[in-house]
C-alpha cells in the first residue's frame, strides 16, 4: 500500500460517470453517478479498494462529489448507502437532494 504521505486527489471522470479518488497515482476508489431522465444525478454505488480501506477515502470521494455537484447546480439522488449517510451527516452548502422512494433502484 502507498505511504500515507501520498497525495490524495478526487476527480470527476465523465467518461466513466464517476468521481475517482487517487492515492498518489493509484486509483483507490470511486462513487458512480447516472443521469436520470430529469437530469438529476443518481448515485448508486461507492467502492474503495480493500488495500485502502480504513483511511476515510469513501467519505472523501463522496464529500467532494457532493460539493462538486452543488457547485455545478446539479440535483443528486442518493441511492448508495454511503452517499445517503454522508448527506445526512454533513452540511453541503447549495446541494439539492431528492430522496429516492426505494433504496437501490437501477
Amino acid at each position: 500500500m502507498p505511504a500515507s504521505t501520498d497525495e490524495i486527489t478526487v476527480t470527476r471522470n465523465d467518461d466513466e460517470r464517476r468521481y475517482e479518488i487517487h492515492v498518489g497515482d493509484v486509483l483507490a476508489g470511486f462513487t458512480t453517478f447516472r443521469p436520470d431522465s430529469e437530469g438529476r444525478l443518481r448515485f448508486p454505488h461507492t467502492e474503495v479498494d480493500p488495500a485502502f480501506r480504513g483511511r476515510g477515502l469513501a467519505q472523501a470521494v463522496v464529500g467532494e462529489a457532493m460539493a462538486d455537484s452543488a457547485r455545478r447546480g446539479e440535483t443528486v439522488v442518493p441511492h448508495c448507502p454511503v452517499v445517503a449517510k454522508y448527506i445526512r451527516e454533513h452540511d453541503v452548502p447549495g446541494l439539492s437532494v431528492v430522496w429516492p422512494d426505494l433504496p437501490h433502484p437501477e
Side-chain angles (χ1 to χ4, degrees):
M1 175 172 31
S4 61
T5 58
D6 285 343
E7 182 179 5
I8 294 174
T9 57
V10 176
T11 56
R12 179 172 166 146
N13 181 337
D14 284 313
D15 292 336
E16 296 291 328
R17 295 188 299 180
R18 65 188 189 184
Y19 285 85
E20 301 173 337
I21 189 162
H22 290 81
V23 177
D25 294 332
V26 179
L27 176 63
F30 55 87
T31 189
T32 59
F33 61 86
R34 301 287 179 260
D36 69 13
S37 62
E38 297 178 37
R40 303 173 302 189
L41 295 185
R42 294 182 309 129
F43 280 83
H45 181 68
T46 301
E47 185 173 324
V48 173
D49 184 306
F52 293 95
R53 289 196 182 138
R55 296 175 63 177
L57 298 182
Q59 293 280 310
V61 70
V62 168
E64 180 52 31
M66 296 304 103
D68 186 59
S69 295
R71 287 189 296 268
R72 293 169 180 260
E74 296 169 326
T75 298
V76 302
V77 184
H79 293 286
C80 170
V82 176
V83 174
K85 181 178 179 188
Y86 185 89
I87 293 170
R88 283 188 184 102
E89 294 179 354
H90 298 87
D91 179 41
V92 181
L95 184 64
S96 175
V97 179
V98 172
W99 292 97
D101 293 331
L102 301 173
H104 301 284
E106 286 299 317

